[in-house]
mmCIF file of all heavy atoms in Angstrom:
data_model
loop_
_atom_site.group_PDB
_atom_site.id
_atom_site.type_symbol
_atom_site.label_atom_id
_atom_site.label_comp_id
_atom_site.label_asym_id
_atom_site.label_seq_id
_atom_site.Cartn_x
_atom_site.Cartn_y
_atom_site.Cartn_z
ATOM 1 N N ARG A 275 28.427 140.966 209.638
ATOM 2 C CA ARG A 275 28.288 141.852 210.770
ATOM 3 C C ARG A 275 27.111 142.822 210.631
ATOM 4 O O ARG A 275 26.415 143.045 211.474
ATOM 5 C CB ARG A 275 29.636 142.704 211.013
ATOM 6 C CG ARG A 275 30.744 141.812 211.476
ATOM 7 C CD ARG A 275 31.967 142.631 211.897
ATOM 8 N NE ARG A 275 32.557 143.143 210.661
ATOM 9 C CZ ARG A 275 32.996 144.444 210.578
ATOM 10 N NH1 ARG A 275 32.955 145.230 211.639
ATOM 11 N NH2 ARG A 275 33.504 144.934 209.488
ATOM 12 N N LEU A 276 27.024 143.383 209.376
ATOM 13 C CA LEU A 276 25.895 144.441 209.190
ATOM 14 C C LEU A 276 24.487 143.768 209.264
ATOM 15 O O LEU A 276 23.543 144.516 209.629
ATOM 16 C CB LEU A 276 26.058 145.091 207.771
ATOM 17 C CG LEU A 276 27.321 146.023 207.610
ATOM 18 C CD1 LEU A 276 27.303 146.423 206.197
ATOM 19 C CD2 LEU A 276 27.051 147.216 208.605
ATOM 20 N N THR A 277 24.385 142.533 208.965
ATOM 21 C CA THR A 277 23.078 141.890 208.977
ATOM 22 C C THR A 277 22.830 141.021 210.239
ATOM 23 O O THR A 277 21.771 140.293 210.212
ATOM 24 C CB THR A 277 22.931 140.963 207.652
ATOM 25 O OG1 THR A 277 23.962 139.988 207.717
ATOM 26 C CG2 THR A 277 22.964 141.793 206.474
ATOM 27 N N SER A 278 23.625 141.179 211.240
ATOM 28 C CA SER A 278 23.416 140.360 212.432
ATOM 29 C C SER A 278 23.640 141.156 213.750
ATOM 30 O O SER A 278 23.293 140.727 214.757
ATOM 31 C CB SER A 278 24.349 139.151 212.453
ATOM 32 O OG SER A 278 25.768 139.541 212.532
ATOM 33 N N LYS A 279 24.153 142.319 213.711
ATOM 34 C CA LYS A 279 24.472 143.092 214.905
ATOM 35 C C LYS A 279 23.691 144.483 214.886
ATOM 36 O O LYS A 279 23.166 144.874 213.824
ATOM 37 C CB LYS A 279 26.045 143.436 214.931
ATOM 38 C CG LYS A 279 26.772 142.127 215.046
ATOM 39 C CD LYS A 279 28.256 142.403 215.080
ATOM 40 C CE LYS A 279 29.043 141.099 215.177
ATOM 41 N NZ LYS A 279 30.405 141.347 215.394
ATOM 42 N N THR A 280 23.792 145.123 216.011
ATOM 43 C CA THR A 280 23.303 146.486 216.044
ATOM 44 C C THR A 280 24.273 147.366 215.531
ATOM 45 O O THR A 280 25.448 147.350 215.845
ATOM 46 C CB THR A 280 22.921 146.802 217.578
ATOM 47 O OG1 THR A 280 21.947 145.952 218.027
ATOM 48 C CG2 THR A 280 22.324 148.223 217.577
ATOM 49 N N ILE A 281 23.893 148.284 214.629
ATOM 50 C CA ILE A 281 24.795 149.258 213.916
ATOM 51 C C ILE A 281 24.553 150.533 214.580
ATOM 52 O O ILE A 281 23.441 151.036 214.669
ATOM 53 C CB ILE A 281 24.463 149.286 212.439
ATOM 54 C CG1 ILE A 281 24.537 147.879 211.819
ATOM 55 C CG2 ILE A 281 25.282 150.271 211.671
ATOM 56 C CD1 ILE A 281 23.751 147.796 210.479
ATOM 57 N N TYR A 282 25.671 151.202 214.959
ATOM 58 C CA TYR A 282 25.567 152.571 215.509
ATOM 59 C C TYR A 282 26.187 153.568 214.628
ATOM 60 O O TYR A 282 27.354 153.358 214.200
ATOM 61 C CB TYR A 282 26.315 152.510 216.898
ATOM 62 C CG TYR A 282 25.584 151.746 217.932
ATOM 63 C CD1 TYR A 282 25.957 150.357 218.060
ATOM 64 C CD2 TYR A 282 24.644 152.319 218.792
ATOM 65 C CE1 TYR A 282 25.229 149.629 219.077
ATOM 66 C CE2 TYR A 282 23.994 151.591 219.791
ATOM 67 C CZ TYR A 282 24.362 150.249 219.800
ATOM 68 O OH TYR A 282 23.690 149.499 220.760
ATOM 69 N N ILE A 283 25.535 154.600 214.240
ATOM 70 C CA ILE A 283 25.974 155.728 213.422
ATOM 71 C C ILE A 283 25.609 157.039 214.106
ATOM 72 O O ILE A 283 24.863 157.105 215.018
ATOM 73 C CB ILE A 283 25.340 155.675 211.957
ATOM 74 C CG1 ILE A 283 23.850 155.806 211.990
ATOM 75 C CG2 ILE A 283 25.825 154.357 211.293
ATOM 76 C CD1 ILE A 283 23.270 155.859 210.588
ATOM 77 N N LEU A 284 26.217 158.050 213.583
ATOM 78 C CA LEU A 284 25.974 159.485 214.131
ATOM 79 C C LEU A 284 25.157 160.193 213.130
ATOM 80 O O LEU A 284 25.336 160.176 211.895
ATOM 81 C CB LEU A 284 27.326 160.198 214.374
ATOM 82 C CG LEU A 284 27.263 161.472 215.002
ATOM 83 C CD1 LEU A 284 26.926 161.293 216.507
ATOM 84 C CD2 LEU A 284 28.518 162.251 214.901
ATOM 85 N N VAL A 285 24.077 160.860 213.587
ATOM 86 C CA VAL A 285 23.281 161.736 212.838
ATOM 87 C C VAL A 285 23.316 163.110 213.416
ATOM 88 O O VAL A 285 23.243 163.282 214.661
ATOM 89 C CB VAL A 285 21.784 161.186 212.753
ATOM 90 C CG1 VAL A 285 20.948 162.206 212.096
ATOM 91 C CG2 VAL A 285 21.676 159.877 212.141
ATOM 92 N N SER A 286 23.471 164.190 212.605
ATOM 93 C CA SER A 286 23.541 165.509 213.052
ATOM 94 C C SER A 286 22.215 166.303 212.726
ATOM 95 O O SER A 286 21.815 166.289 211.525
ATOM 96 C CB SER A 286 24.665 166.307 212.373
ATOM 97 O OG SER A 286 25.955 165.595 212.837
ATOM 98 N N ALA A 287 21.577 166.912 213.725
ATOM 99 C CA ALA A 287 20.480 167.736 213.403
ATOM 100 C C ALA A 287 20.951 169.164 213.136
ATOM 101 O O ALA A 287 21.728 169.721 213.823
ATOM 102 C CB ALA A 287 19.492 167.773 214.666
ATOM 103 N N CYS A 288 20.617 169.566 211.927
ATOM 104 C CA CYS A 288 21.154 170.809 211.422
ATOM 105 C C CYS A 288 20.064 171.775 210.972
ATOM 106 O O CYS A 288 18.917 171.302 210.719
ATOM 107 C CB CYS A 288 22.039 170.596 210.260
ATOM 108 S SG CYS A 288 23.357 169.486 210.515
ATOM 109 N N THR A 289 20.293 172.962 210.941
ATOM 110 C CA THR A 289 19.317 173.993 210.267
ATOM 111 C C THR A 289 20.134 174.762 209.309
ATOM 112 O O THR A 289 21.317 175.093 209.522
ATOM 113 C CB THR A 289 18.654 174.801 211.366
ATOM 114 O OG1 THR A 289 17.563 175.563 210.804
ATOM 115 C CG2 THR A 289 19.710 175.790 212.100
ATOM 116 N N ARG A 290 19.558 175.131 208.235
ATOM 117 C CA ARG A 290 20.229 175.893 207.158
ATOM 118 C C ARG A 290 19.450 177.109 206.836
ATOM 119 O O ARG A 290 18.248 177.080 206.427
ATOM 120 C CB ARG A 290 20.250 175.014 205.913
ATOM 121 C CG ARG A 290 21.369 175.360 205.013
ATOM 122 C CD ARG A 290 21.543 174.266 203.993
ATOM 123 N NE ARG A 290 22.679 174.638 203.199
ATOM 124 C CZ ARG A 290 23.049 173.905 202.131
ATOM 125 N NH1 ARG A 290 22.393 172.809 201.868
ATOM 126 N NH2 ARG A 290 24.039 174.306 201.434
ATOM 127 N N THR A 291 20.094 178.273 207.005
ATOM 128 C CA THR A 291 19.359 179.567 206.667
ATOM 129 C C THR A 291 19.435 179.782 205.149
ATOM 130 O O THR A 291 20.123 179.147 204.443
ATOM 131 C CB THR A 291 20.169 180.692 207.438
ATOM 132 O OG1 THR A 291 21.482 180.829 206.847
ATOM 133 C CG2 THR A 291 20.188 180.504 208.921
ATOM 134 N N LYS A 292 18.624 180.727 204.716
ATOM 135 C CA LYS A 292 18.602 181.061 203.392
ATOM 136 C C LYS A 292 19.981 181.550 202.884
ATOM 137 O O LYS A 292 20.419 181.205 201.750
ATOM 138 C CB LYS A 292 17.526 182.075 203.051
ATOM 139 C CG LYS A 292 16.121 181.581 203.202
ATOM 140 C CD LYS A 292 15.106 182.659 202.883
ATOM 141 C CE LYS A 292 13.686 182.094 203.103
ATOM 142 N NZ LYS A 292 12.636 183.067 202.822
ATOM 143 N N ALA A 293 20.729 182.284 203.756
ATOM 144 C CA ALA A 293 22.023 182.794 203.440
ATOM 145 C C ALA A 293 22.990 181.598 203.122
ATOM 146 O O ALA A 293 23.841 181.644 202.234
ATOM 147 C CB ALA A 293 22.405 183.706 204.466
ATOM 148 N N GLU A 294 22.931 180.628 204.080
ATOM 149 C CA GLU A 294 23.750 179.527 203.886
ATOM 150 C C GLU A 294 23.469 178.667 202.640
ATOM 151 O O GLU A 294 24.346 178.131 201.935
ATOM 152 C CB GLU A 294 23.701 178.495 205.153
ATOM 153 C CG GLU A 294 24.373 179.093 206.303
ATOM 154 C CD GLU A 294 23.889 178.534 207.729
ATOM 155 O OE1 GLU A 294 22.753 177.960 207.692
ATOM 156 O OE2 GLU A 294 24.548 178.722 208.685
ATOM 157 N N LYS A 295 22.238 178.535 202.355
ATOM 158 C CA LYS A 295 21.823 177.833 201.114
ATOM 159 C C LYS A 295 22.328 178.548 199.863
ATOM 160 O O LYS A 295 22.860 178.003 198.962
ATOM 161 C CB LYS A 295 20.303 177.801 200.978
ATOM 162 C CG LYS A 295 19.643 176.768 201.880
ATOM 163 C CD LYS A 295 18.115 176.717 201.700
ATOM 164 C CE LYS A 295 17.538 175.778 202.755
ATOM 165 N NZ LYS A 295 16.109 175.815 202.720
ATOM 166 N N LYS A 296 22.222 179.922 199.992
ATOM 167 C CA LYS A 296 22.623 180.820 198.762
ATOM 168 C C LYS A 296 24.209 180.670 198.645
ATOM 169 O O LYS A 296 24.692 180.643 197.506
ATOM 170 C CB LYS A 296 22.278 182.295 199.055
ATOM 171 C CG LYS A 296 22.378 183.134 197.855
ATOM 172 C CD LYS A 296 21.849 184.470 198.059
ATOM 173 C CE LYS A 296 21.821 185.382 196.925
ATOM 174 N NZ LYS A 296 21.255 186.669 197.122
ATOM 175 N N ARG A 297 24.930 180.654 199.757
ATOM 176 C CA ARG A 297 26.377 180.544 199.691
ATOM 177 C C ARG A 297 26.819 179.064 199.492
ATOM 178 O O ARG A 297 28.007 178.884 199.385
ATOM 179 C CB ARG A 297 27.028 181.081 200.971
ATOM 180 C CG ARG A 297 26.935 182.638 201.128
ATOM 181 C CD ARG A 297 27.746 183.090 202.282
ATOM 182 N NE ARG A 297 27.391 182.456 203.562
ATOM 183 C CZ ARG A 297 26.792 183.002 204.568
ATOM 184 N NH1 ARG A 297 26.491 184.305 204.472
ATOM 185 N NH2 ARG A 297 26.505 182.378 205.620
ATOM 186 N N ASN A 298 25.890 178.178 199.588
ATOM 187 C CA ASN A 298 26.163 176.694 199.447
ATOM 188 C C ASN A 298 27.241 176.236 200.476
ATOM 189 O O ASN A 298 28.184 175.514 200.196
ATOM 190 C CB ASN A 298 26.621 176.398 198.005
ATOM 191 C CG ASN A 298 26.446 174.918 197.795
ATOM 192 O OD1 ASN A 298 25.634 174.253 198.392
ATOM 193 N ND2 ASN A 298 27.259 174.377 196.849
ATOM 194 N N THR A 299 27.011 176.718 201.735
ATOM 195 C CA THR A 299 27.897 176.296 202.768
ATOM 196 C C THR A 299 27.228 175.271 203.611
ATOM 197 O O THR A 299 25.974 175.092 203.610
ATOM 198 C CB THR A 299 28.304 177.536 203.687
ATOM 199 O OG1 THR A 299 27.132 178.097 204.168
ATOM 200 C CG2 THR A 299 28.984 178.572 202.843
ATOM 201 N N ASP A 300 27.922 174.584 204.451
ATOM 202 C CA ASP A 300 27.429 173.622 205.361
ATOM 203 C C ASP A 300 26.572 174.259 206.403
ATOM 204 O O ASP A 300 26.863 175.360 206.927
ATOM 205 C CB ASP A 300 28.532 172.814 206.026
ATOM 206 C CG ASP A 300 29.276 171.905 205.140
ATOM 207 O OD1 ASP A 300 28.640 171.492 204.168
ATOM 208 O OD2 ASP A 300 30.453 171.541 205.407
#
């Protein structure tokens, strides 16, 4: 299936502030 069909997945565009990086949050 993976090598013969179109595969649909979800991608999320995110932005991460310095504060979120520091707190290690999503």
Side-chain angles (χ1 to χ4, degrees):
R275 290 185 298 135
L276 289 174
T277 59
S278 66
K279 298 180 181 186
T280 302
I281 303 160
Y282 293 87
I283 61 174
L284 187 71
V285 175
S286 300
C288 306
T289 188
R290 200 166 185 188
T291 65
K292 289 180 182 180
E294 288 160 340
K295 285 179 187 177
K296 193 173 185 177
R297 288 190 303 250
N298 199 26
T299 59
D300 289 337

